[in-house]
Amino acid sequence: MSRALDRPVASFLAAATDPSRFPPESVPEVALMGRSNVGKSSLLNALAGSRVARVSKTPGRTREIHFYDVRLGSGKAPVALRLVDLPGYGYARVSREVTREWPVFIEAFLSRRASLALCLLLVDLSVPLQESDRRMAEFLAATGRSWRVVATKADRVPSSRREVVIRGFREAFPVPVDPVSVRTGLGVRETWEGLVQAAIPVR
Ligand SMILES: Nc1nc2c(ncn2[C@@H]2O[C@H](COP(=O)(O)OP(=O)(O)O)[C@@H](O)[C@H]2O)c(=O)[nH]1
Ligand SMILES: [Mg+2]
């Protein structure tokens, strides 16, 4: 991978709820999804190398899909991708179905968005796997999308227990599970390289 890919330039593009206001499907997209407070915005900032997304103190605040443009490299062959921050689920405690908690526009995005190249399902490694995460995984598998799991907040799991906890998460999903921490930087670079390859495979 070229060194130019180490220096992405990210900028906020749009916030939308209505599919008619989604940006044109012109650039490959990678969506980040997961429960409120799992670390979506923090990871997006770490991946993009700048603080473009707001990290909230109050869970459940983001109610729109946020699109961020990311430019890689420069000169003769700049390439572009988009990071997409989806509203968190699992904030309304009692709801039983992911799709019931989620507004219709998110389902529209996940099932019909032609430029969506990869979905990253974020789960919190420092707490037990939640039923809502399992349901989200089933939902994603049913869409037929390419997806992976990113296990966040790995720094909160003592290193003596980390391998065992990671193994348990890996057994729970049919796709790769990559542990990350934005505090220590663990796994951030690998996640970035993996998503660039998925979004822009021909390099
Ligand atoms: N210890 C630790 N805290 C994190 C990590 N990632 C996110 N957080 C914290 O988790 C909270 C929620 O993060 P945020 O990115 O807003 O989550 P979002 O609701 O999924 O977008 C914030 O207080 C973050 O500082 C991590 O890797 N390690
Ligand atoms: Mg957020």
Side-chain angles (χ1 to χ4, degrees), residues 40-41 54-56 62 85:
K40 293 178 295 298
S41 302
R54 197 161 2 115
V55 173
S56 54
T62 314
D85 198 359

Side-chain angles (χ1 to χ4, degrees), residues 45-65:
N45 286 338
L47 294 169
S50 55
R51 294 200 154 205
V52 283
R54 197 161 2 115
V55 173
S56 54
K57 296 216 164 63
T58 345
R61 286 287 293 277
T62 314
R63 283 274 152 269
E64 302 157 310
I65 298 181

Side-chain angles (χ1 to χ4, degrees), residues 12 15 18 29-30 35 37 41 60 66 89 91 99 109 114 116 133 154-155 160 166 175 192:
F12 176 74
D18 185 340
E29 292 171 334
V30 176
R35 274 181 294 121
N37 221 39
S41 302
H66 289 178
Y89 56 84
Y91 186 57
T99 47
F109 178 83
L116 181 57
D133 294 326
D155 59 281
S160 58
I166 291 170
V175 294
W192 174 249

Side-chain angles (χ1 to χ4, degrees), residues 14-105:
T17 52
D18 185 340
S20 70
R21 309 296 287 267
F22 291 167
E25 299 174 301
S26 49
V27 177
E29 292 171 334
V30 176
L32 281 71
M33 62 192 74
R35 274 181 294 121
S36 295
N37 221 39
V38 71
K40 293 178 295 298
S41 302
S42 302
L43 181 64
L44 194 146
N45 286 338
L47 294 169
S50 55
R51 294 200 154 205
V52 283
R54 197 161 2 115
V55 173
S56 54
K57 296 216 164 63
T58 345
R61 286 287 293 277
T62 314
R63 283 274 152 269
E64 302 157 310
I65 298 181
H66 289 178
F67 296 84
Y68 298 88
D69 264 332
V70 184
R71 224 152 250 298
L72 309 163
S74 57
K76 276 175 249 138
V79 290
L81 61 83
R82 249 178 229 152
L83 296 176
V84 183
D85 198 359
L86 295 182
Y89 56 84
Y91 186 57
R93 281 160 203 236
V94 282
S95 46
R96 298 197 54 87
E97 285 176 36
V98 167
T99 47
R100 205 172 290 164
E101 296 166 26
W102 273 28
V104 169
F105 66 90

Side-chain angles (χ1 to χ4, degrees), residues 10 37 91 95 114 120 131 135 139 141 182 187 195:
N37 221 39
Y91 186 57
S95 46
L120 298 180
E131 192 49 37
R135 269 186 257 125
F139 176 83
V182 302
L195 74 83

